[in-house]
Amino acid sequence: MTLPLCIYGSPVLRKKSEPVEEITPELVELARNMLDTMYNANGVGLAAPQVGKNIRLVVIDLSKEDEERNPIMLFNPVVEPEEGENPVALEEEGCLSIPEIWVKISRPSRVRITYTNENSETVELRGVTGKFARCALHEQDHLNGILFVDKMSMSDKAMNASKLKRMAKK
Ligand code: CO
């Protein structure tokens, strides 16, 4: 089942989300619905605040069109830059809550991801790079009320200011 997406300007996108205390069947169902919503909108990641829930839950699926789906449900995810050599990567990002804006954002290129899965198991992924690292950092920001447009360069901010203003008014 798809859920309505909250768009830029919704207060729920700016709140810090609460930790998940227990992985209930209802929460797994919510995560499934979030995946449906994400696939329907051709996204690769979605955080619970984007469907109006301020809880620390993220879904990600980075499989390509011609591949089998590979959905991941991350409860209480913690995404941290790995120590050691970790150059910043500058790549284009978009967000299902901020349609029509695609800009380059700097992020650490190598991260460690810790989360609880739908079976209440703790999972730790080390040395995560590329799209997965970027997506996990982007979604973690959502859980803290941070949006990728907050991290745009000054010139991108200026260029997209009126678009954002219009979006927030709706
Ligand atoms: Co987003």
Side-chain angles (χ1 to χ4, degrees), residues 78-92:
V78 176
V79 189
E80 297 164 302
E82 290 266 36
E83 293 106 45
E85 204 192 325
N86 198 350
V88 163
L90 183 67
E91 293 286 343
E92 201 163 74

PDB file of all heavy atoms in Angstrom, residues 78-92:
ATOM      1  N   VAL A  78      22.337   3.951  12.633  1.00  0.00           N
ATOM      2  CA  VAL A  78      23.398   4.906  12.972  1.00  0.00           C
ATOM      3  C   VAL A  78      24.421   4.825  11.847  1.00  0.00           C
ATOM      4  O   VAL A  78      24.965   3.756  11.574  1.00  0.00           O
ATOM      5  CB  VAL A  78      24.059   4.572  14.330  1.00  0.00           C
ATOM      6  CG1 VAL A  78      25.216   5.527  14.602  1.00  0.00           C
ATOM      7  CG2 VAL A  78      23.025   4.639  15.453  1.00  0.00           C
ATOM      8  N   VAL A  79      24.634   5.935  11.174  1.00  0.00           N
ATOM      9  CA  VAL A  79      25.550   5.994  10.035  1.00  0.00           C
ATOM     10  C   VAL A  79      26.675   6.938  10.398  1.00  0.00           C
ATOM     11  O   VAL A  79      26.443   8.124  10.661  1.00  0.00           O
ATOM     12  CB  VAL A  79      24.830   6.487   8.761  1.00  0.00           C
ATOM     13  CG1 VAL A  79      25.727   6.341   7.550  1.00  0.00           C
ATOM     14  CG2 VAL A  79      23.513   5.742   8.559  1.00  0.00           C
ATOM     15  N   GLU A  80      27.901   6.405  10.470  1.00  0.00           N
ATOM     16  CA  GLU A  80      29.041   7.212  10.887  1.00  0.00           C
ATOM     17  C   GLU A  80      30.145   7.127   9.859  1.00  0.00           C
ATOM     18  O   GLU A  80      30.385   6.044   9.304  1.00  0.00           O
ATOM     19  CB  GLU A  80      29.612   6.681  12.210  1.00  0.00           C
ATOM     20  CG  GLU A  80      28.656   6.761  13.373  1.00  0.00           C
ATOM     21  CD  GLU A  80      29.118   5.876  14.524  1.00  0.00           C
ATOM     22  OE1 GLU A  80      29.280   4.655  14.313  1.00  0.00           O
ATOM     23  OE2 GLU A  80      29.328   6.421  15.618  1.00  0.00           O
ATOM     24  N   PRO A  81      30.851   8.239   9.625  1.00  0.00           N
ATOM     25  CA  PRO A  81      32.009   8.169   8.727  1.00  0.00           C
ATOM     26  C   PRO A  81      33.045   7.215   9.305  1.00  0.00           C
ATOM     27  O   PRO A  81      33.265   7.202  10.516  1.00  0.00           O
ATOM     28  CB  PRO A  81      32.546   9.602   8.717  1.00  0.00           C
ATOM     29  CG  PRO A  81      31.449  10.448   9.282  1.00  0.00           C
ATOM     30  CD  PRO A  81      30.626   9.571  10.165  1.00  0.00           C
ATOM     31  N   GLU A  82      33.658   6.398   8.460  1.00  0.00           N
ATOM     32  CA  GLU A  82      34.723   5.501   8.915  1.00  0.00           C
ATOM     33  C   GLU A  82      35.969   6.323   9.225  1.00  0.00           C
ATOM     34  O   GLU A  82      36.234   7.346   8.589  1.00  0.00           O
ATOM     35  CB  GLU A  82      35.057   4.477   7.816  1.00  0.00           C
ATOM     36  CG  GLU A  82      33.964   3.466   7.593  1.00  0.00           C
ATOM     37  CD  GLU A  82      34.164   2.179   8.384  1.00  0.00           C
ATOM     38  OE1 GLU A  82      34.669   2.237   9.525  1.00  0.00           O
ATOM     39  OE2 GLU A  82      33.818   1.126   7.835  1.00  0.00           O
ATOM     40  N   GLU A  83      36.722   5.847  10.195  1.00  0.00           N
ATOM     41  CA  GLU A  83      37.984   6.512  10.525  1.00  0.00           C
ATOM     42  C   GLU A  83      39.002   6.245   9.416  1.00  0.00           C
ATOM     43  O   GLU A  83      38.796   5.371   8.584  1.00  0.00           O
ATOM     44  CB  GLU A  83      38.546   5.984  11.860  1.00  0.00           C
ATOM     45  CG  GLU A  83      37.692   6.360  13.061  1.00  0.00           C
ATOM     46  CD  GLU A  83      36.897   5.181  13.596  1.00  0.00           C
ATOM     47  OE1 GLU A  83      37.459   4.093  13.730  1.00  0.00           O
ATOM     48  OE2 GLU A  83      35.688   5.373  13.852  1.00  0.00           O
ATOM     49  N   GLY A  84      40.078   6.973   9.485  1.00  0.00           N
ATOM     50  CA  GLY A  84      41.144   6.795   8.492  1.00  0.00           C
ATOM     51  C   GLY A  84      40.874   7.613   7.249  1.00  0.00           C
ATOM     52  O   GLY A  84      40.108   8.571   7.289  1.00  0.00           O
ATOM     53  N   GLU A  85      41.485   7.222   6.173  1.00  0.00           N
ATOM     54  CA  GLU A  85      41.350   7.971   4.925  1.00  0.00           C
ATOM     55  C   GLU A  85      39.895   7.926   4.469  1.00  0.00           C
ATOM     56  O   GLU A  85      39.337   6.854   4.287  1.00  0.00           O
ATOM     57  CB  GLU A  85      42.251   7.353   3.856  1.00  0.00           C
ATOM     58  CG  GLU A  85      42.624   8.336   2.779  1.00  0.00           C
ATOM     59  CD  GLU A  85      43.274   7.638   1.598  1.00  0.00           C
ATOM     60  OE1 GLU A  85      44.005   6.656   1.810  1.00  0.00           O
ATOM     61  OE2 GLU A  85      43.020   8.079   0.472  1.00  0.00           O
ATOM     62  N   ASN A  86      39.313   9.105   4.326  1.00  0.00           N
ATOM     63  CA  ASN A  86      37.880   9.137   4.009  1.00  0.00           C
ATOM     64  C   ASN A  86      37.553  10.415   3.247  1.00  0.00           C
ATOM     65  O   ASN A  86      36.968  11.344   3.797  1.00  0.00           O
ATOM     66  CB  ASN A  86      37.071   9.041   5.308  1.00  0.00           C
ATOM     67  CG  ASN A  86      35.629   8.625   5.061  1.00  0.00           C
ATOM     68  OD1 ASN A  86      35.171   8.574   3.914  1.00  0.00           O
ATOM     69  ND2 ASN A  86      34.906   8.351   6.113  1.00  0.00           N
ATOM     70  N   PRO A  87      37.953  10.467   1.987  1.00  0.00           N
ATOM     71  CA  PRO A  87      37.742  11.703   1.228  1.00  0.00           C
ATOM     72  C   PRO A  87      36.249  12.002   1.061  1.00  0.00           C
ATOM     73  O   PRO A  87      35.417  11.110   1.098  1.00  0.00           O
ATOM     74  CB  PRO A  87      38.380  11.401  -0.125  1.00  0.00           C
ATOM     75  CG  PRO A  87      38.438   9.924  -0.217  1.00  0.00           C
ATOM     76  CD  PRO A  87      38.529   9.401   1.182  1.00  0.00           C
ATOM     77  N   VAL A  88      35.965  13.281   0.912  1.00  0.00           N
ATOM     78  CA  VAL A  88      34.585  13.711   0.693  1.00  0.00           C
ATOM     79  C   VAL A  88      34.200  13.444  -0.758  1.00  0.00           C
ATOM     80  O   VAL A  88      35.005  13.651  -1.657  1.00  0.00           O
ATOM     81  CB  VAL A  88      34.464  15.209   1.036  1.00  0.00           C
ATOM     82  CG1 VAL A  88      33.192  15.807   0.458  1.00  0.00           C
ATOM     83  CG2 VAL A  88      34.513  15.403   2.551  1.00  0.00           C
ATOM     84  N   ALA A  89      32.997  12.937  -0.960  1.00  0.00           N
ATOM     85  CA  ALA A  89      32.514  12.698  -2.319  1.00  0.00           C
ATOM     86  C   ALA A  89      31.440  13.732  -2.648  1.00  0.00           C
ATOM     87  O   ALA A  89      30.593  14.042  -1.815  1.00  0.00           O
ATOM     88  CB  ALA A  89      31.949  11.291  -2.424  1.00  0.00           C
ATOM     89  N   LEU A  90      31.495  14.266  -3.869  1.00  0.00           N
ATOM     90  CA  LEU A  90      30.520  15.268  -4.317  1.00  0.00           C
ATOM     91  C   LEU A  90      29.691  14.653  -5.437  1.00  0.00           C
ATOM     92  O   LEU A  90      30.196  14.420  -6.529  1.00  0.00           O
ATOM     93  CB  LEU A  90      31.267  16.510  -4.812  1.00  0.00           C
ATOM     94  CG  LEU A  90      30.417  17.696  -5.260  1.00  0.00           C
ATOM     95  CD1 LEU A  90      29.655  18.322  -4.105  1.00  0.00           C
ATOM     96  CD2 LEU A  90      31.292  18.758  -5.924  1.00  0.00           C
ATOM     97  N   GLU A  91      28.427  14.339  -5.126  1.00  0.00           N
ATOM     98  CA  GLU A  91      27.561  13.694  -6.124  1.00  0.00           C
ATOM     99  C   GLU A  91      26.165  14.304  -6.070  1.00  0.00           C
ATOM    100  O   GLU A  91      25.751  14.844  -5.059  1.00  0.00           O
ATOM    101  CB  GLU A  91      27.437  12.184  -5.839  1.00  0.00           C
ATOM    102  CG  GLU A  91      28.718  11.390  -6.018  1.00  0.00           C
ATOM    103  CD  GLU A  91      29.119  11.176  -7.470  1.00  0.00           C
ATOM    104  OE1 GLU A  91      28.258  11.347  -8.368  1.00  0.00           O
ATOM    105  OE2 GLU A  91      30.294  10.862  -7.685  1.00  0.00           O
ATOM    106  N   GLU A  92      25.451  14.141  -7.183  1.00  0.00           N
ATOM    107  CA  GLU A  92      24.105  14.693  -7.273  1.00  0.00           C
ATOM    108  C   GLU A  92      23.130  13.924  -6.375  1.00  0.00           C
ATOM    109  O   GLU A  92      23.194  12.703  -6.284  1.00  0.00           O
ATOM    110  CB  GLU A  92      23.636  14.614  -8.719  1.00  0.00           C
ATOM    111  CG  GLU A  92      22.517  15.571  -9.028  1.00  0.00           C
ATOM    112  CD  GLU A  92      22.363  15.779 -10.517  1.00  0.00           C
ATOM    113  OE1 GLU A  92      21.853  14.865 -11.170  1.00  0.00           O
ATOM    114  OE2 GLU A  92      22.752  16.858 -11.007  1.00  0.00           O
TER     115      GLU A  92
END
